[in-house]
Amino acid sequence: MQLKLNMIKMFRLTLLSAATLRTSASTLRRNSFLKGAFRPLSTAPVSDHYEKRLTEQSMCQYLRHMEYAVRGKVVIKADEINAKLKESPKGTYPFDHIVYTNIGNPHSVGQKDLTWPRQVLALCDLPDEYGVDHPLAEEIFPVDAIARAKVIKKALNFHGTGAYTHSQGPLLFRQEICRFIEKRDGLQEGAVDPSDIYMTNGASSAIEMILNALIADTTSGVMIPIPQYPIYSATISRYGGQQVGYYLDEKKGWDLNVAELERSLANAKKHGIDVNSLVLINPGNPTGQVLQPSTVREIVKFCSENNLVLLADEVYQENVYAAGSEFYSCRQAAHDTGLDDADALELVSFHSTSKGLLGECGRRGGYMELLGFDPKIKAQLYKLASSHLCSNVPGQIMTSLMVNGPKEGDASYESYEEEKQEIYDSLKRRAKIVSEGFNKIEGFSCETAEGSMYCFPKIEMPLGAIDFARANGVTPDTLYALSLLENTGICVVPASGFGQEKGRYGFRTTFLPAEEEMVHVVEAVKNHYEKFCKQFE
Amino acid sequence: MQLKLNMIKMFRLTLLSAATLRTSASTLRRNSFLKGAFRPLSTAPVSDHYEKRLTEQSMCQYLRHMEYAVRGKVVIKADEINAKLKESPKGTYPFDHIVYTNIGNPHSVGQKDLTWPRQVLALCDLPDEYGVDHPLAEEIFPVDAIARAKVIKKALNFHGTGAYTHSQGPLLFRQEICRFIEKRDGLQEGAVDPSDIYMTNGASSAIEMILNALIADTTSGVMIPIPQYPIYSATISRYGGQQVGYYLDEKKGWDLNVAELERSLANAKKHGIDVNSLVLINPGNPTGQVLQPSTVREIVKFCSENNLVLLADEVYQENVYAAGSEFYSCRQAAHDTGLDDADALELVSFHSTSKGLLGECGRRGGYMELLGFDPKIKAQLYKLASSHLCSNVPGQIMTSLMVNGPKEGDASYESYEEEKQEIYDSLKRRAKIVSEGFNKIEGFSCETAEGSMYCFPKIEMPLGAIDFARANGVTPDTLYALSLLENTGICVVPASGFGQEKGRYGFRTTFLPAEEEMVHVVEAVKNHYEKFCKQFE
C-alpha cells in the first residue's frame, strides 16, 4: 500500500504538461492523477533470498530527510525535458530550450571566463618544457601570466599541480588571502594570520566542516535567515542539528534587525535548543540585499554578547550593484567595534571563486577565514581537512588569482579589468531588468536586487492553485514552478526551498542568462502567470 | 589541572630530539618530561566576559575523537622540522632534508606528471582563441591533445571548465568510465550504467558519501581490515558508527580468509552491532598485498550471503608488481559468480586519479561505481552529491583521461606509454628494494609489496621502548617513528595508525622517493634501529 501511495505521488508531478493549461483544473482533478500510476517501476529482477541492505528505511535518517532545492524536483524535471528536447527539438514542448535560472552558474549561461586566470592556470598545469619554458610561450601567453605561473610553481614547492598540498592550502596562497582581506577591510598588514585560513573545495566544503564541528547533538541549534541558501538547512539536517530561523524583513528590502534575532534566539532557548551559532548571508542569497555597515556591526555585537559563533557567508562580496551600497565585511565590523582585539568573537567567513566576476564554479575553489577560534578547534579543523588530504590544486590556484590579480602596468592589467567591467556592468543592468520587470507584473512584487545574482519575487497564488497543490502533496510554489517550466522552459526554484513566511509564495531566479534572454524571461513569466491564474482562479 | 595535564602531554612529544639518542633512556625519564611544560600556551588575551563557544568540550565529540594518522602527530612534527631546516639548513639536525614517505603523494617526491593529460587539461582551461583555435596551437600541442580537448569541450556543453556540471559528472565522462570498467572486467558493452557512476573529489569524497548513508546510528557497524587505510576508521568515527575489524594474515603475505570474516562478523553481532557493510582494500593499503581471484570471489559471496554492502577500495588497481599477480576487481568477481545478474549484491567500488601511474593527487579526481543499489538510495546519493553541486571539473577531466588514454596510432600514444612504463618499472624496482631491504634488517620482517605504494614492516620493539612509550602516553611505534624522524629525517607513519594485532609494532612507508633515495632510506633505517635498540635495551 505504501508503495502504491509513493507511486501515485511520483506520477502526480508529471501531470503539469503544456497541455494541462488548456484544460480546466477541475477536469485535471478528476482525470489525470492516476494516469500511469500503475506502470511498474523499472527495477532489476530480485533474487529469492536477497533483500537490499541499504534502503531508505535502513539508511541514515538525517541524510534521508535532508532537502536540497537548488537541484531538486523542478531541476530534475528540467533535465528530463532538456534530454527530450535534444532528441526531438520540435513539437513536444512550446519552447526549444530550457532557460536555467535555478542556479548561480554563470558560465553555463554564457558568461565568458576571464582570460588571464585561465592562461596562468594552463601554464601551471603544463610541464615546464611545454609551458613556461617553451620557446613559443611568449607568442601565446602574456608575460605576466608566465611570470605568475612561475611564482605559483615555486609556491607549490615545484611539485606541480599533481601533488597534495598542505591540508589548509600552500602557505603562499594563504598569505595572499591574508593580504587581500587586510586591504579590503583596512586592517594593518599582519592582522590576518595564514594559520586561520583553510582553502577548501568551494565554500560548500568549508560550511560543512564548520557545521560538522558545531553540531554536537540534536539539541545543537544554528540560526539561519529565512529565506536562506539551502546548503545551511541541508547540512544542519544532515548532521542532526536544529535550524533556528530568523526572518528577513521583505518590506524593508530584506533587511535584518536585531529585535528579530532576539525573538528567534529566545524562542529557541524556550524550546530547549542550545543555539551556538548564527549564519549571516551578505550580500543575500536568495534575497539580493546588501546590508548597511551599521547593521553588520549590530549583528557582530549580537553574536559577541550572546556567545554565538558567527558564520558569515560573503561569497557575493564582489556582486554589489545598487547605488550607495557597498560590501562591508563582518571582519571589518569586528575591527571597527574592537571585537577583533578583545578576543570576544568567534567569526568564520566564507569566500569562493564561483561567484563575483570570475564565476569559476567548476573549479571548486574557496576558503574560510577564522577569527577568535580556540587553537584546539583550529587543530581539529586541520585534522578534518587532513582527512580529505587537501582541496583541489587548480581551485587553490584560482583562489590565489582571485585575491591577487594583475597590477597596474602588468601586461594583462587593462584587458583583465575591461573583461571584469563588462561582466559587472551587464550584471548590474540585468539585476535592474529582472527586479523591475517582475515588480511590474500584476500580482508580483519584487525587491530590488542590490547585490548577489538573484531575485526572490513574491507572487499572489490563486486559491485554486493552493488547494490543488495541497491535494497533490506539493507546495503551491512547486506547482507554480513546474507549470512555468513545462509551459515556458524557464527553470526557477520554488521559494519554499529557501524558506519564507507562512502564506508567502514565490521563487528564486538568477539574472545570469544574457540580457536579451532575461527580457524574454520577464515577458514569458508575465504571460504564463496570467494563464496560470486563469487556470486556477 | 586538566589544562596542566594536557600541556604536559603536548610537550612530552618534543623530547625525542637527536640529542636524546646520545643520552640513556633512564636519564631522560628523570629529567626531560617536564621541560618547557609550563611555558604558557600562545593564546590571544581573553576578555573578562567572553568564553569561547566552540571548544573541544562543546564540539561534536565524534569529530573530536576521530583520528587520522597519515597526516597526524609525526607528520606535524616533520613539517615543523622542515620549516626549521629551511631557515637554517646546517647544524640543528643530522640531516639536511625530510624524506616524506608518510603519504602516497608521488609528485611531491619526484615522480613526473604524464605529459599528454596535462596538455589536454591546459587546452580545456584555455579560451578557444588562446588554445585549441590559436594559430600556433599545433606547434606547442600534439594534434591528439587538441582533438581530445575539443571532445571534452563538447562533453561540457561548451560551458567550459568554469561551470558546475551534472552532480554525478558529465554524461560523456561517465560513459567513458563505464566502457573502461567493461573492458577491464570482460563485461559486455552496456553492462555498466552511467547512472551508477558518481564522479567525486578523489576517492575520499566517495567513501564519505557512502559511509554517511550507511551509518544510521551508533549501532551501525562497518567491517574494516586490520590494518586498514585510516580514512575508513576516521569517517566511521566521525559519523558515530562502529569499526568492526577483521585481521589480515601477515604470515601469509597479508592474505584474507573467510573464516576470519565469519569470526569477526559473529563477534560483532554478539555485541549488538548491526553490521551492514564490509570494506575490502585490494591492492592493499598499507599492506601491499594483491588478492587472488578466488579470494575476491569468496569475499563477494560472503557479502551476498551475509547481506553486507561491499565497499571495494580499488584505487591501486594499476599498481601491481609481483610476478603472477594481477588485479581482479570485485565487479568481475560479481560477474564471474553470477551475482551481478541475480541482484544479490550491493557493491560500490572506488577509483582515483591520485594513484596508478598518473599520481595526480592534487587534482582530487575520482569516482565510485555502484552495482545492485536500490534506486531510491541512488537518488539519495544524487541528492547528497547535488548539495556539493559537483566535483571539480579538472579532476573530472583527469578521470576521463585516465580511463580513456591515447590509442595506438595517436600522436602521443608512444610517448605516453613510454612515460607510464618508466614509472611502472621504477616503482616495481623500488617495491623490491624496500621490502627486501627491510626484511634483511635484524629485528625487522617485511612482506613483499606485491602492489600499491607501501610496505608495512613489523619490527621487534625493545622492551625499554615499550615501557618508555607507555609512561609517556604514546604508542611504542609512535615513539619509534618520532625517533627515526628526529635522527634521520625520514618521516613514516606508526603502524598503530592503521591498526595491527596486539603486541605487533611497525610502520608504513611508501616507496615513492627516487630509487637512490630509497636505498639510502633502507640503510638509514637499519643504522637508526641499531642505535634505537641500544638506547632502549
Side-chain angles (χ1 to χ4, degrees):
Chain A
M1 186 59 201
Q2 185 56 40
L3 179 66
K4 205 192 276 177
L5 282 173
N6 285 342
M7 280 160 64
I8 292 171
K9 231 182 212 170
M10 184 175 300
F11 286 98
R12 274 177 181 169
L13 290 177
T14 66
L15 80 173
L16 291 156
S17 72
T20 65
L21 272 194
R22 289 166 226 135
T23 328
S24 82
S26 59
T27 322
L28 269 173
R29 225 170 281 138
R30 281 194 308 272
N31 299 334
S32 306
F33 274 18
L34 303 179
K35 258 186 203 163
F38 300 100
R39 198 176 69 182
L41 289 169
S42 96
T43 50
V46 177
S47 70
D48 290 344
H49 70 291
Y50 193 86
E51 279 192 27
K52 299 276 181 214
R53 183 55 174 262
L54 187 57
T55 64
E56 283 195 324
Q57 286 67 47
S58 72
M59 73 179 285
C60 172
Q61 297 298 296
Y62 294 143
L63 176 57
R64 180 185 179 186
H65 294 300
M66 168 183 123
E67 284 184 16
Y68 188 73
V70 174
R71 292 200 156 184
K73 220 166 256 182
V74 181
V75 188
I76 291 172
K77 187 75 199 166
D79 287 343
E80 281 171 29
I81 297 176
N82 197 28
K84 278 186 206 160
L85 285 171
K86 278 193 180 162
E87 275 172 30
S88 56
K90 297 274 169 207
T92 327
Y93 294 93
F95 47 85
D96 61 5
H97 70 292
I98 299 285
V99 183
Y100 284 100
T101 68
N102 60 299
I103 187 166
N105 191 9
H107 293 205
S108 74
V109 286
Q111 182 176 311
K112 283 191 69 179
D113 32 343
L114 300 178
T115 307
W116 174 81
R118 292 303 189 91
Q119 291 172 319
V120 178
L121 206 55
L123 286 166
C124 291
D125 278 336
L126 285 170
D128 290 354
E129 60 271 38
Y130 297 95
V132 289
D133 292 343
H134 194 281
L136 292 175
E138 291 195 15
E139 311 238 355
I140 293 199
F141 300 99
V143 288
D144 60 340
I146 297 172
R148 183 60 174 271
K150 286 182 180 169
V151 170
I152 290 174
K153 282 177 182 250
K154 191 173 171 216
L156 296 172
N157 292 319
F158 301 107
H159 299 162
T161 55
Y164 296 126
T165 64
H166 185 285
S167 298
Q168 292 178 230
L171 182 61
L172 180 90
F173 294 172
R174 287 184 281 135
Q175 285 167 334
E176 288 177 302
I177 294 169
C178 293
R179 299 302 88 81
F180 161 77
I181 295 166
E182 287 155 9
K183 208 175 149 196
R184 183 195 67 195
D185 294 345
L187 309 175
Q188 67 181 57
E189 196 170 315
V192 186
D193 189 313
S195 78
D196 283 320
I197 307 293
Y198 293 69
M199 302 185 79
T200 52
N201 288 317
S204 313
S205 255
I207 293 166
E208 246 196 80
M209 285 171 73
I210 284 289
L211 288 175
N212 189 175
L214 279 168
I215 297 171
D217 59 41
T218 55
T219 67
S220 303
V222 181
M223 292 179 72
I224 55 174
I226 299 179
Q228 52 103 31
Y229 177 59
I231 184 83
Y232 295 100
S233 52
T235 311
I236 295 166
S237 295
R238 197 178 137 211
Y239 287 118
Q242 303 295 328
Q243 302 165 30
V244 175
Y246 65 86
Y247 289 96
L248 303 180
D249 190 346
E250 186 167 10
K251 286 186 210 75
K252 294 188 176 161
W254 299 112
D255 203 10
L256 203 163
N257 70 76
V258 169
E260 169 58 15
L261 296 181
E262 276 162 358
R263 180 207 63 75
S264 164
L265 178 60
N267 185 49
K269 281 186 179 165
K270 209 170 65 190
H271 288 86
I273 298 174
D274 178 28
V275 182
N276 59 27
S277 51
L278 183 149
V279 174
L280 176 72
I281 311 178
N282 179 41
N285 176 5
T287 45
Q289 90 285 9
V290 177
L291 295 177
Q292 291 298 313
S294 55
T295 311
V296 180
R297 283 192 293 267
E298 277 176 31
I299 296 161
V300 161
K301 278 189 236 162
F302 175 83
C303 288
S304 174
E305 280 159 15
N306 290 283
N307 204 207
L308 299 174
V309 178
L310 175 53
L311 279 58
D313 185 332
E314 300 177 323
V315 301
Y316 296 98
Q317 56 190 268
E318 265 194 289
N319 302 96
V320 175
Y321 317 110
S325 285
E326 213 174 314
F327 171 68
Y328 179 84
S329 74
C330 286
R331 183 63 158 95
Q332 189 172 353
H335 179 71
D336 292 350
T337 50
L339 290 170
D340 59 341
D341 284 335
D343 192 28
L345 182 72
E346 288 156 270
L347 165 67
V348 47
S349 167
F350 308 109
H351 199 10
S352 162
T353 63
S354 304
K355 312 302 170 189
L357 305 169
L358 277 175
E360 290 274 4
C361 300
R363 208 61 50 189
R364 315 311 292 114
Y367 69 83
M368 63 178 169
E369 170 214 353
L370 307 182
L371 172 70
F373 272 61
D374 184 333
K376 285 185 183 155
I377 292 296
K378 286 168 59 177
Q380 288 284 346
L381 292 170
Y382 169 79
K383 179 182 72 178
L384 179 54
S386 80
S387 78
H388 304 117
L389 301 158
C390 68
S391 62
N392 83 88
V393 176
Q396 295 175 354
I397 293 173
M398 189 57 79
T399 306
S400 150
L401 302 177
M402 173 178 76
V403 299
N404 187 13
K407 301 282 170 292
E408 229 174 313
D410 290 352
S412 305
Y413 177 75
E414 281 181 27
S415 59
Y416 183 70
E417 291 301 316
E418 266 169 36
E419 286 177 0
K420 277 172 68 173
Q421 193 65 43
E422 197 180 309
I423 292 170
Y424 176 82
D425 291 344
S426 173
L427 279 171
K428 188 172 177 171
R429 284 193 298 272
R430 282 177 275 166
K432 203 172 143 83
I433 291 169
V434 177
S435 44
E436 289 185 358
F438 281 159
N439 207 31
K440 278 185 197 148
I441 298 174
E442 181 76 32
F444 274 48
S445 80
C446 184
E447 293 302 312
T448 308
E450 299 166 330
S452 84
M453 301 178 165
Y454 311 103
C455 288
F456 197 66
K458 173 172 156 179
I459 63 178
E460 281 171 28
M461 191 62 72
L463 288 178
I466 296 173
D467 292 344
F468 184 79
R470 278 197 191 136
N472 289 284
V474 294
T475 68
D477 39 25
T478 301
L479 176 83
Y480 167 83
L482 283 167
S483 171
L484 180 68
L485 171 68
E486 304 220 6
N487 288 282
T488 67
I490 299 167
C491 177
V492 299
V493 186
S496 48
F498 303 88
Q500 57 190 341
E501 280 183 6
K502 208 169 172 256
R504 183 193 188 275
Y505 303 105
F507 59 88
R508 184 189 81 165
T509 175
T510 71
F511 42 81
L512 291 173
E515 288 177 53
E516 51 288 6
E517 182 103 270
M518 288 318 293
V519 172
H520 153 78
V521 163
V522 172
E523 192 61 26
V525 166
K526 182 170 179 287
N527 294 337
H528 166 266
Y529 181 66
E530 281 167 16
K531 287 188 199 154
F532 182 80
C533 287
K534 227 171 253 167
Q535 185 195 357
F536 287 106
E537 71 190 351
Chain B
M1 187 57 202
Q2 185 57 40
L3 179 67
K4 203 193 278 177
L5 281 173
N6 285 342
M7 280 159 63
I8 292 171
K9 230 181 209 170
M10 185 178 298
F11 286 97
R12 275 178 179 170
L13 290 177
T14 66
L15 80 173
L16 292 155
S17 72
T20 65
L21 273 193
R22 289 167 225 135
T23 328
S24 83
S26 59
T27 321
L28 270 172
R29 223 170 284 140
R30 282 195 305 274
N31 300 334
S32 308
F33 274 19
L34 302 180
K35 258 187 206 162
F38 299 100
R39 197 176 69 182
L41 288 170
S42 95
T43 50
V46 175
S47 70
D48 290 344
H49 70 291
Y50 192 85
E51 280 193 24
K52 300 275 181 216
R53 183 55 173 261
L54 188 56
T55 63
E56 283 195 324
Q57 285 68 46
S58 71
M59 74 179 285
C60 173
Q61 297 298 297
Y62 294 142
L63 177 57
R64 181 186 180 187
H65 295 300
M66 169 183 123
E67 284 183 14
Y68 188 71
V70 174
R71 291 200 158 185
K73 219 164 257 182
V74 180
V75 188
I76 290 171
K77 187 77 200 163
D79 287 343
E80 281 171 31
I81 297 176
N82 197 28
K84 278 187 206 158
L85 284 172
K86 277 190 181 166
E87 274 173 31
S88 57
K90 298 273 167 207
T92 326
Y93 293 93
F95 47 85
D96 61 3
H97 70 291
I98 299 285
V99 183
Y100 283 100
T101 67
N102 61 300
I103 189 167
N105 191 9
H107 293 204
S108 74
V109 285
Q111 183 175 309
K112 284 191 67 178
D113 32 344
L114 299 178
T115 307
W116 176 81
R118 293 302 190 91
Q119 290 173 319
V120 178
L121 207 55
L123 286 166
C124 290
D125 278 335
L126 285 170
D128 290 355
E129 60 271 38
Y130 297 95
V132 290
D133 292 344
H134 194 282
L136 292 175
E138 292 196 13
E139 311 240 352
I140 293 199
F141 300 100
V143 287
D144 59 340
I146 297 172
R148 183 60 175 273
K150 286 182 180 171
V151 170
I152 289 172
K153 282 175 183 248
K154 190 171 171 219
L156 297 172
N157 292 319
F158 301 107
H159 298 163
T161 54
Y164 297 126
T165 64
H166 186 284
S167 298
Q168 292 177 229
L171 183 60
L172 181 90
F173 293 173
R174 287 184 282 134
Q175 285 168 334
E176 288 177 302
I177 293 169
C178 293
R179 297 303 88 81
F180 162 76
I181 295 166
E182 288 155 8
K183 209 175 147 195
R184 183 194 67 195
D185 294 344
L187 310 175
Q188 68 181 55
E189 194 170 318
V192 185
D193 190 315
S195 78
D196 283 320
I197 308 293
Y198 294 69
M199 301 183 81
T200 51
N201 288 318
S204 313
S205 256
I207 292 165
E208 245 196 81
M209 287 172 70
I210 285 289
L211 289 176
N212 188 175
L214 278 168
I215 297 170
D217 59 41
T218 54
T219 68
S220 303
V222 180
M223 291 178 71
I224 55 174
I226 298 179
Q228 51 105 30
Y229 177 59
I231 184 82
Y232 295 100
S233 51
T235 312
I236 295 166
S237 295
R238 193 176 141 214
Y239 286 117
Q242 302 296 329
Q243 303 166 29
V244 176
Y246 64 85
Y247 289 96
L248 303 180
D249 190 345
E250 186 167 10
K251 285 186 211 78
K252 293 188 176 161
W254 298 111
D255 203 10
L256 202 164
N257 70 75
V258 169
E260 168 58 15
L261 296 180
E262 277 163 359
R263 179 206 64 74
S264 163
L265 179 60
N267 184 51
K269 281 185 180 167
K270 210 170 63 191
H271 288 85
I273 298 174
D274 178 27
V275 182
N276 59 27
S277 52
L278 181 148
V279 173
L280 176 71
I281 310 177
N282 179 41
N285 176 3
T287 43
Q289 90 285 11
V290 178
L291 295 177
Q292 290 299 311
S294 56
T295 309
V296 180
R297 284 192 292 268
E298 276 177 33
I299 295 160
V300 161
K301 278 190 237 162
F302 175 83
C303 288
S304 174
E305 280 159 15
N306 290 284
N307 204 207
L308 300 173
V309 178
L310 175 54
L311 279 58
D313 186 332
E314 299 177 325
V315 301
Y316 296 98
Q317 55 190 266
E318 265 194 288
N319 302 95
V320 176
Y321 317 111
S325 284
E326 211 172 319
F327 171 67
Y328 179 83
S329 75
C330 286
R331 183 66 157 94
Q332 189 172 352
H335 179 71
D336 292 349
T337 50
L339 291 170
D340 59 341
D341 284 334
D343 192 28
L345 181 71
E346 288 155 273
L347 165 66
V348 48
S349 166
F350 308 109
H351 199 11
S352 162
T353 64
S354 304
K355 312 302 170 188
L357 304 169
L358 278 174
E360 290 275 2
C361 299
R363 208 61 51 192
R364 314 310 293 118
Y367 69 83
M368 64 178 168
E369 169 214 354
L370 307 182
L371 172 69
F373 272 60
D374 184 334
K376 285 185 182 154
I377 292 297
K378 286 168 58 176
Q380 289 283 345
L381 292 170
Y382 169 79
K383 179 182 73 179
L384 179 54
S386 80
S387 78
H388 304 118
L389 300 157
C390 68
S391 63
N392 83 88
V393 176
Q396 294 175 355
I397 293 173
M398 190 56 79
T399 306
S400 151
L401 302 177
M402 173 178 75
V403 298
N404 187 13
K407 301 284 172 289
E408 226 174 316
D410 288 352
S412 306
Y413 177 75
E414 281 181 27
S415 58
Y416 183 70
E417 290 301 316
E418 266 168 36
E419 286 176 1
K420 278 174 64 172
Q421 193 65 44
E422 197 180 311
I423 292 170
Y424 175 82
D425 291 343
S426 172
L427 279 172
K428 189 171 173 170
R429 284 192 299 270
R430 280 176 275 166
K432 204 173 142 79
I433 292 170
V434 177
S435 43
E436 289 185 359
F438 282 158
N439 207 30
K440 278 185 199 147
I441 298 175
E442 181 78 30
F444 275 48
S445 79
C446 184
E447 293 302 311
T448 309
E450 299 166 331
S452 84
M453 301 176 165
Y454 311 103
C455 288
F456 198 65
K458 175 171 154 179
I459 62 178
E460 280 171 30
M461 190 64 71
L463 289 179
I466 297 172
D467 292 343
F468 184 79
R470 279 202 191 129
N472 288 283
V474 294
T475 67
D477 40 25
T478 302
L479 175 84
Y480 168 81
L482 284 167
S483 170
L484 181 67
L485 171 67
E486 303 220 6
N487 288 281
T488 67
I490 299 167
C491 177
V492 300
V493 186
S496 48
F498 303 88
Q500 56 191 339
E501 281 184 9
K502 205 164 175 264
R504 183 193 187 276
Y505 304 103
F507 59 88
R508 185 189 81 166
T509 176
T510 71
F511 43 81
L512 292 173
E515 288 177 53
E516 51 287 8
E517 181 103 273
M518 288 319 293
V519 172
H520 153 78
V521 163
V522 172
E523 192 61 27
V525 166
K526 182 171 179 286
N527 294 339
H528 166 266
Y529 181 66
E530 281 167 15
K531 287 189 201 153
F532 183 80
C533 287
K534 229 171 250 167
Q535 185 195 358
F536 287 105
E537 72 190 350

